[in-house]
Amino acid sequence: MSNQKKLEIMPLEEHDRGVAAYLMIYSKFNELVGSVRKIETGAAAIKSGIIVKKFYKAVYNGKIVGIASLSDTRSRYLELNYDDVKKQVGIIKAKKIYSVLENIFDVKNIPDGCAYITFPVSSEGDADYVVKALLEYIFSLKKYTEYYTYISKFDSEKRKILEEIGFRVIEDYSLEKASESNKKETNCLLMKYSERF
């Protein structure tokens, strides 16, 4: 990103649903291998379930290059619609894929009253700068005092960015991979940011 001043952070709008859904599936596509074959199919299946008011977008030169959701254990950022999933994958696969999507986008192991953040970023953007800008914006809202997020245990670049911002690893999880054909485990780190650190 050559001119970082052109990056703007603002609330997601209703007409951004498609881009937000695409970025969310794009960021989780490794976990969906064997279940959802195309990013577009997964995006169409979750598009109507996005709770727009829970999201913020990073816009560079008029294009969304990243999004972040801010929710908690009581108010999720995505409410899946079974009929939307069925429309995209058919009746036979719908139940299994609905369950896979529900598992991937669920808010897990977050203490009550704390925030959960997701931040999918486009491959076209400077991930480091976009993630920092999104998270700084969210922290500036001062809606919570503690923030949690999950990342892959093997994503050392994202971990480095988060640790620079002030996140710390709280727990190491092994979650069942969301693929029937590949029963390997997905290794995740639960990370926490607190103003008290």
Side-chain angles (χ1 to χ4, degrees):
M1 216 171 267
S2 58
N3 186 352
Q4 296 177 348
K5 291 179 182 174
K6 292 182 182 175
L7 184 72
E8 296 178 276
I9 310 296
M10 60 193 77
L12 195 71
E13 297 172 271
E14 192 61 40
H15 65 267
D16 298 322
R17 278 180 182 277
V19 177
Y22 185 91
L23 283 175
M24 288 174 71
I25 294 293
Y26 170 81
S27 72
K28 300 290 187 180
F29 203 62
N30 286 341
E31 296 170 56
L32 289 166
V33 171
S35 299
V36 175
R37 292 174 194 236
K38 290 185 178 179
I39 294 174
E40 293 80 6
T41 303
I46 69 167
K47 182 178 172 183
S48 74
I50 289 173
I51 301 170
V52 173
K53 66 182 180 180
K54 300 281 182 185
F55 283 85
Y56 303 92
K57 60 184 176 181
V59 180
Y60 178 70
N61 285 342
K63 185 173 185 179
I64 297 174
V65 292
I67 57 171
S69 70
L70 177 63
S71 61
D72 58 32
T73 51
R74 295 178 303 280
S75 57
R76 300 172 63 179
Y77 59 99
L78 177 70
E79 290 293 341
L80 283 176
N81 182 320
Y82 182 76
D83 289 334
D84 289 342
V85 176
K86 192 166 65 174
K87 226 182 274 179
Q88 296 305 314
V89 301
I91 296 169
I92 296 169
K93 292 183 180 178
K95 199 171 192 179
K96 182 191 89 171
I97 292 176
Y98 179 88
S99 175
V100 167
L101 290 168
E102 180 98 318
N103 183 47
I104 286 174
F105 294 114
D106 193 16
V107 177
K108 304 177 186 81
N109 306 310
I110 307 301
D112 287 343
C114 296
Y116 179 69
I117 300 174
T118 63
F119 45 91
V121 175
S122 163
S123 59
E124 297 170 27
D126 178 340
D128 189 340
Y129 182 71
V130 173
V131 168
K132 284 180 180 176
L134 282 164
L135 293 178
E136 284 170 9
Y137 180 86
I138 284 173
F139 297 152
S140 75
L141 300 173
K142 301 205 177 287
K143 291 188 176 184
Y144 301 89
T145 56
E146 293 183 354
Y147 300 83
Y148 291 81
T149 191
Y150 277 100
I151 65 164
S152 165
K153 186 176 181 177
F154 307 109
D155 194 340
S156 56
E157 189 176 315
K158 194 175 274 184
R159 179 176 177 173
K160 183 181 173 202
I161 294 167
L162 291 174
E163 286 177 339
E164 284 173 8
I165 294 168
F167 276 86
R168 299 290 173 258
V169 173
I170 299 301
E171 287 194 54
D172 187 333
Y173 286 98
S174 289
L175 304 172
E176 187 178 314
K177 195 167 177 88
S179 167
E180 196 171 85
S181 61
N182 185 352
K183 289 293 184 186
K184 290 181 184 174
E185 292 184 327
T186 300
N187 295 295
C188 296
L189 298 175
L190 177 63
M191 299 188 75
K192 173 184 173 182
Y193 172 89
S194 172
E195 293 176 357
R196 293 188 285 270
F197 279 165

